[in-house]
Amino acid sequence: RRDAVTFLPLSETIDGDVLALFLSTMTRQMTDQINALSRAKKRTPGSMLFDALCEEYPRLLNKFKIMVERLTNTASSANLSGGVSAGLLERGTLSELLLRTIKPVETQYLALSLSRVTDPIVLLFKPGGQAPGEVAANGLAKLFAAELMSTPGEENLFQNSAKNVAAALYMYATKAQDMVGRVVGPDVLGLHNGLATLGSSGRVMFGLQLSEQKEILEAAEVLIALSESVQEKPFLAMKATVEGILLQMHDQYLAADERKTEHSVARIPYDEALRERLTLFRVEICDHLLRSRALVVNLEQLAAFCLEDFVYNACLLRKLTDSKRGNLAREMSEIESTLVKLTAQKSIGKSHEQFRAFKLLVQVETDAIPSVDLEMRRQFRQLPLSIFALHILGRAQPPLLQPHIRMQWSPQRMVEWLRNNPEEKAWKLVNESLTAYEKVRNTAEPSESKTMAPEYTLLRKLDSVLADNNTGRSSQHSASVVPGEDAKTAEDAKTAEDAKTAEDAKTAEDAKTAEDAKTAAKTVEDAKTVEDAKIIEDAETVEDAKTAEDAKTAEDAKTVEDAKTVEDVKTVEDAKSEVNNVAEEARDAADCNISEDGKAVEDSRFPSS
């Protein structure tokens, strides 16, 4: 532009003060006008104009930035010495002056933006209404994405809009958290799917957010974490159902021996009820949940819980006959197949291996366990020794009892105890049951058999039975068997069985080894010539040994009072020969003392032969 009087370019006639005055006056007038519009009453022209400016604020902001760009470029090309030297037409200074005038519009725009992203959430979570599901969450995700995309190239405005979206996500999470305790059934699925969908959208769709500003991503992680906690609710309910069904196993197996009457109530077998519940859970719950890593983990944990709880309950069953063990193995196979379908996995981890090992153990006879092959022993070692022992005790007959029977615990209490205590404590209970059985057998009547139960013998050498070489202690379980101070070894039990002469020998306390007892017994058997000799209980003295069956005179028969051991007992034949020798000596003495007149000595007396 040129001056109308001097026809000189305005850039040559305007100094810095004039330019500064002009910009100050212009921005002040614009600010006053916009403030007046913001205070206008509703539904007036001024109010409608202000609303239009607010709705189109991103475009207005873009126009202002273009104006600043053009002014600075023009000032540079025209060499406005005063303006440039004063810094008034630099891009940063001019932009700050102009944007300050529309600050009220920006504030109102951000308020409307927050309202746009939060009002739908308020409507979705009406009191008494259904929980928003996947469809509603997808709608919110699109709304949030549109709100962010309305500010292209405006870094500050984008960050403020992102904070609004993050606030909306936190609001959704808060209202969903409040609803978690009230929803049941399908509403739980809808709530979970809504949270998971919105959280996933926050991760994927909002990647355009600046890396240093992560409000939306952090809010999305909160939604996903909340969705996982909501997902656990039906799984916890299912675990409680499984626990209750498996407890019916004990009543069913105990009732199998009872005679059915007309008034007997027909019950669904526990295994059939469990399989039906698991199938129903898969169809009604799992198939309607969004597939995620959390769902896979929860399914694996549910299956592992079912397998572990089954083994805990099954190892406590008692009076297990061959037919019952066959039924138990069949039921385990069917339940295993159902769980594999539920998780869509052939192997469910360590609990699955223990379940298969227990199923194999159920099918093996007690007497055949020590002679199983190497591969089967390795599978048995997958089981905790306490579980192995509890099942074997369930096969035994009284007085060899399982720990919970001996302590009068219910199966439910014992299962809970096994779940919450380490293996060492569990084996200690087993060892106490074995020790109690030993005491009962040691105090049994003499007429009763001293043979130990095969289950007892197996458990006392369980660690060597499960060893790889089947001759030594297992390296994996060598420390599992806790030998009690009062526990007797199998050699001691065998010695007790071999000590058949313990009733007649009072000196058994002094006999240090069983070999001495056997020697004493053999000595008694070798004394075949003492037919009438009665050996007293201490087997040390034979007080009243009668040897005078064939002796005609009891006065000359010497008793065997000094015979302290069985080796000193003299036979009747020795006694006879002694008498004959005495008689001959007496005759010789009599011949020497006969007088000349032929009178015999009257005092020479001796027993006749």
Side-chain angles (χ1 to χ4, degrees):
R1 300 290 298 273
R2 289 181 178 271
D3 186 81
V5 179
T6 62
F7 296 100
L8 295 174
L10 291 178
S11 59
E12 296 179 3
T13 58
I14 297 176
D15 57 10
D17 295 336
V18 175
L19 183 58
L21 180 61
F22 166 76
L23 292 176
S24 175
T25 303
M26 182 191 70
T27 54
R28 184 173 63 252
Q29 289 180 358
M30 288 182 62
T31 302
D32 294 341
Q33 290 178 7
I34 291 177
N35 287 334
L37 292 176
S38 65
R39 293 191 297 268
K41 294 182 179 180
K42 293 293 184 181
R43 298 181 181 179
T44 60
S47 175
M48 290 187 289
L49 178 58
F50 183 75
D51 292 342
L53 290 175
C54 292
E55 291 177 2
E56 298 295 333
Y57 175 73
R59 292 179 58 188
L60 177 64
L61 181 61
N62 188 43
K63 294 296 184 181
F64 265 69
K65 287 193 173 184
I66 293 175
M67 181 178 65
V68 170
E69 188 73 19
R70 290 178 62 183
L71 286 174
T72 55
N73 291 338
T74 302
S76 297
S77 62
N79 289 325
L80 294 179
S81 59
V84 174
S85 63
L88 295 175
L89 293 181
E90 291 180 355
R91 182 176 288 113
T93 305
L94 186 59
S95 177
E96 183 179 355
L97 286 172
L98 293 176
L99 293 182
R100 189 183 302 165
T101 62
I102 58 175
K103 189 66 176 178
V105 180
E106 180 184 11
T107 303
Q108 184 63 19
Y109 171 81
L110 293 176
L112 293 174
S113 173
L114 182 61
S115 178
R116 283 194 296 269
V117 296
T118 57
D119 287 348
I121 297 176
V122 176
L123 295 176
L124 288 175
F125 288 93
K126 287 182 179 179
Q130 293 183 348
E134 183 179 0
V135 176
N138 281 327
L140 287 176
K142 293 178 181 180
L143 174 63
F144 297 160
E147 191 67 28
L148 292 174
M149 293 300 294
S150 65
T151 59
E154 303 296 337
E155 180 179 342
N156 292 333
L157 186 60
F158 179 85
Q159 292 180 7
N160 289 328
S161 298
K163 291 179 181 179
N164 288 341
V165 173
L169 293 176
Y170 281 120
M171 182 180 182
Y172 189 100
T174 301
K175 290 188 175 294
Q177 180 68 40
D178 295 339
M179 185 176 279
V180 169
R182 301 193 303 268
V183 295
V184 292
D187 286 343
V188 176
L189 304 181
L191 186 62
H192 164 268
N193 292 341
L195 289 166
T197 300
L198 203 55
S200 300
S201 299
R203 281 179 173 176
V204 179
M205 297 178 61
F206 304 147
L208 65 163
Q209 188 181 7
L210 298 178
S211 58
E212 61 270 13
Q213 299 292 334
K214 297 185 178 181
E215 294 88 353
I216 293 179
L217 296 180
E218 292 175 355
E221 295 299 328
V222 171
L223 289 175
I224 292 175
L226 183 58
S227 70
E228 294 176 355
S229 66
V230 172
Q231 188 185 99
E232 291 178 357
K233 187 174 182 180
F235 281 90
L236 291 176
M238 187 60 196
K239 287 181 181 180
T241 302
V242 170
E243 188 175 358
I245 292 176
L246 289 178
L247 286 175
Q248 300 175 11
M249 178 194 307
H250 305 274
D251 297 335
Q252 179 175 322
Y253 272 84
L254 289 178
D257 298 331
E258 298 178 359
R259 186 176 181 181
K260 296 183 179 179
T261 63
E262 297 179 358
H263 303 286
S264 299
V265 179
R267 294 184 178 180
I268 301 177
Y270 81 95
D271 60 312
E272 182 179 342
L274 179 59
R275 287 186 281 110
E276 288 180 358
R277 288 296 302 171
L278 289 173
T279 303
L280 193 64
F281 181 79
R282 176 174 59 85
V283 173
E284 294 185 351
I285 303 295
C286 298
D287 291 349
H288 295 280
L289 290 173
L290 293 178
R291 297 297 298 182
S292 62
R293 177 58 187 167
L295 177 60
V296 175
V297 172
N298 283 330
L299 285 173
E300 292 178 354
Q301 291 178 352
L302 174 62
F305 175 83
C306 293
L307 296 174
E308 292 174 1
D309 204 60
F310 188 98
V311 172
Y312 283 143
N313 282 276
C315 74
L316 300 180
L317 294 176
R318 52 196 179 97
K319 299 181 180 180
L320 285 177
T321 59
D322 294 342
S323 61
K324 288 183 179 180
R325 288 191 286 111
N327 292 336
L328 183 61
R330 175 185 54 79
E331 294 161 1
M332 294 179 71
S333 298
E334 294 175 351
I335 292 174
E336 180 183 8
S337 176
T338 303
L339 291 174
V340 168
K341 292 179 181 179
L342 177 66
T343 59
Q345 297 182 16
K346 294 183 179 179
S347 179
I348 315 174
K350 183 178 179 181
S351 58
H352 199 180
E353 296 176 357
Q354 293 181 356
F355 183 86
R356 289 174 175 173
F358 186 81
K359 182 174 67 173
L360 182 62
L361 174 63
V362 168
Q363 302 175 70
V364 180
E365 297 292 338
T366 304
D367 297 337
I369 292 178
S371 59
V372 296
D373 56 20
L374 179 61
E375 180 61 28
M376 194 173 293
R377 288 200 297 273
R378 289 177 178 175
Q379 294 186 46
F380 285 163
R381 288 203 300 272
Q382 300 294 333
L383 281 172
L385 283 184
S386 59
I387 299 298
F388 191 105
L390 289 172
H391 172 69
I392 298 300
L393 290 175
R395 303 184 183 187
Q397 298 295 326
L400 184 54
L401 303 175
Q402 292 169 305
H404 71 288
I405 300 298
R406 184 175 57 84
M407 297 184 296
Q408 298 181 356
W409 284 6
S410 65
Q412 182 178 5
R413 181 180 178 183
M414 188 63 185
V415 168
E416 189 69 22
W417 190 92
L418 289 173
R419 193 180 293 121
N420 298 326
N421 287 273
E423 170 67 12
E424 291 76 11
K425 290 186 177 181
W427 181 258
K428 185 177 180 181
L429 289 184
V430 172
N431 193 61
E432 290 175 357
S433 293
L434 297 178
T435 303
Y437 173 74
E438 293 170 0
K439 293 180 180 179
V440 172
R441 299 303 297 163
N442 291 337
T443 58
E445 296 294 333
S447 59
E448 297 181 8
S449 175
K450 297 290 184 179
T451 305
M452 294 294 186
E455 293 82 6
Y456 167 85
T457 305
L458 172 63
L459 294 180
R460 274 307 181 197
K461 55 181 180 180
L462 183 58
D463 54 342
S464 60
V465 168
L466 297 181
D468 287 339
N469 55 11
N470 205 10
T471 57
R473 297 183 68 87
S474 169
S475 59
Q476 182 178 357
H477 296 89
S478 60
S480 298
V481 177
V482 182
E485 295 179 357
D486 299 332
K488 294 184 178 180
T489 61
E491 295 180 0
D492 295 335
K494 187 175 181 181
T495 304
E497 292 178 4
D498 294 337
K500 297 180 180 179
T501 59
E503 296 179 2
D504 300 328
K506 286 187 178 180
T507 59
E509 296 179 358
D510 299 330
K512 295 182 180 179
T513 61
E515 294 179 0
D516 297 338
K518 290 182 180 179
T519 303
K522 188 175 181 181
T523 304
V524 175
E525 291 178 1
D526 293 339
K528 296 180 180 179
T529 57
V530 188
E531 298 177 355
D532 298 327
K534 295 183 179 181
I535 303 175
I536 62 172
E537 293 181 356
D538 54 3
E540 290 182 355
T541 60
V542 183
E543 296 178 355
D544 299 324
K546 295 181 180 180
T547 59
E549 245 184 33
D550 300 327
K552 295 182 179 180
T553 59
E555 294 179 358
D556 299 317
K558 293 186 178 181
T559 60
V560 195
E561 294 179 356
D562 298 330
K564 293 184 180 180
T565 60
V566 179
E567 295 178 357
D568 297 333
V569 177
K570 293 184 178 182
T571 61
V572 176
E573 293 178 359
D574 295 337
K576 287 181 179 181
S577 61
E578 246 185 67
V579 172
N580 292 332
N581 291 334
V582 171
E584 289 178 1
E585 292 177 359
R587 286 190 188 123
D588 293 337
D591 293 338
C592 293
N593 294 327
I594 294 175
S595 58
E596 293 179 359
D597 56 354
K599 229 179 216 185
V601 180
E602 294 180 356
D603 295 332
S604 59
R605 295 178 182 180
F606 57 88
S608 60
S609 59

